[in-house]
Amino acid sequence: MKIDSSEIKWHLLFIILVLLLVYPLLFSLSTSFKTMSEAFQSSSLIPMEPTFSAYERVFTTINFVQILSNTFIIAAIVTLFKLATSIFAAYAFVFFHFKGKNVLYFLLISTIFIPFTVTMIPNYITLSKVGFVDSIYGVALPQLADATGIFLLRQYMKGIPMSLMEVAELERASHLTRLRTIVVPLIRPAILSIGIIFFINSWNEYVWPAIMIKSEVNYTLSLALQMFVSSEGGTDVPVAMAVATLTMLLPLGLYAVCQKFIIGTFAQSGIKG
């Protein structure tokens, strides 16, 4: 069998890119099992004297369970509300007919391109006036809707045969019944994959929690990681890498289990008109 030289080049390029992406993860995991001195003296991915002392210091230095709970609550609230608003909005844009629908959809999708820095200060001022500063709910509140989710679910819903909806209309089924019994079951893979993306994005978020949260009891995992990193030196590298490793376990696990749904969702969103 003849081997195309161009295919070999592309495979080598992809292998190099994969190694570049995977190396930081392996480095974080490896360093978390090193001693402080070894972490600064050696860049090897294999610890000379593996130790769990960094993980022990994580659980003794900070209230890791509380911080993990805060992060999960924020991510769960954001994910559930984003999914709910995305499903209802996408359904309305596909199956409702009203004047100005396309203009309203265009305006909604255009919010994707508004930088976070534009809305950051107005959101902070508004939430501070209603007493949500230094609260995990204040972190979640501005993120309860997402135009990207509406766009992706709309693309999926446009692929549903209209004959199904016409039959439901003849049966005098309400829109809520149609959504629950026809639409949601047909787009369940998309809902699952988009939900995972929402969850991971919220789980990894740092800037907005850093602005809103002041007390350690309300910290998220990304803020807890910052506790062990100092810009003036003295960074406890093994402990910081231990927190980073613990932080990425759940997102990596979710993505590994559901990657085919995530990839399929973006593929389908580009195919359907």
Side-chain angles (χ1 to χ4, degrees):
M1 183 177 65
K2 186 178 180 180
I3 300 177
D4 191 346
S5 59
S6 62
E7 290 186 4
I8 296 177
K9 293 178 182 178
W10 280 111
H11 279 82
L12 289 174
L13 176 62
F14 289 142
I15 290 173
I16 293 172
L17 290 175
V18 168
L19 291 176
L20 289 174
L21 293 173
V22 172
Y23 179 79
L25 305 180
L26 296 177
F27 177 82
S28 175
L29 178 62
S30 171
T31 306
S32 68
F33 290 104
K34 293 179 179 180
T35 61
M36 177 73 80
S37 59
E38 185 182 355
F40 282 101
Q41 294 172 3
S42 173
S43 59
S44 172
L45 293 180
I46 302 177
M48 299 297 294
E49 299 178 0
T51 175
F52 287 93
S53 61
Y55 290 93
E56 293 174 358
R57 292 203 298 276
V58 169
F59 288 97
T60 56
T61 305
I62 61 176
N63 190 344
F64 184 80
V65 175
Q66 178 65 50
I67 293 173
L68 179 66
S69 176
N70 294 340
T71 311
F72 182 83
I73 291 172
I74 293 172
I77 292 174
V78 169
T79 301
L80 291 175
F81 273 88
K82 277 187 176 181
L83 282 177
T85 54
S86 296
I87 290 171
F88 284 113
Y91 181 90
F93 281 120
V94 174
F95 300 110
F96 285 6
H97 301 284
F98 53 90
K99 188 176 181 180
K101 181 175 73 171
N102 291 333
V103 175
L104 182 60
Y105 177 72
F106 173 78
L107 292 174
L108 178 67
I109 296 303
S110 65
T111 61
I112 296 174
F113 304 99
I114 298 177
F116 167 73
T117 51
V118 174
T119 60
M120 177 178 64
I121 296 176
N123 282 339
Y124 180 83
I125 294 174
T126 302
L127 291 172
S128 65
K129 288 182 178 180
V130 295
F132 277 109
V133 173
D134 198 20
S135 167
I136 61 174
Y137 302 106
V139 176
L141 195 58
Q143 308 178 64
L144 301 185
D146 187 91
T148 304
I150 296 171
F151 167 76
L152 293 173
L153 289 180
R154 176 180 176 271
Q155 297 299 98
Y156 250 81
M157 289 184 187
K158 289 180 71 174
I160 296 175
M162 289 303 298
S163 57
L164 294 176
M165 305 304 291
E166 291 169 356
V167 171
E169 186 175 358
L170 292 174
E171 294 288 337
R172 296 185 177 180
S174 65
H175 283 290
L176 189 59
T177 301
R178 299 177 208 176
L179 180 64
R180 178 173 54 85
T181 60
I182 299 175
V183 176
V184 169
L186 289 175
I187 65 169
R188 187 173 287 117
I191 294 174
L192 176 62
S193 59
I194 293 171
I196 291 171
I197 293 171
F198 287 158
F199 186 90
I200 292 175
N201 288 342
S202 179
W203 183 275
N204 294 331
E205 189 173 17
Y206 172 75
V207 176
W208 183 240
I211 294 172
M212 290 297 297
I213 295 176
K214 310 300 180 184
S215 57
E216 187 176 325
V217 69
N218 292 321
Y219 270 14
T220 61
L221 286 170
S222 56
L223 297 181
L225 175 61
Q226 184 63 31
M227 293 172 61
F228 300 99
V229 178
S230 172
S231 59
E232 300 176 355
T235 298
D236 194 334
V237 177
V239 177
M241 293 300 100
V243 176
T245 300
L246 293 171
T247 301
M248 67 184 178
L249 286 179
L250 181 57
L252 284 177
L254 286 174
Y255 181 78
V257 172
C258 303
Q259 60 174 320
K260 66 177 182 179
F261 296 113
I262 297 174
I263 295 172
T265 296
F266 283 97
Q268 291 289 347
S269 67
I271 293 174
K272 297 175 182 176

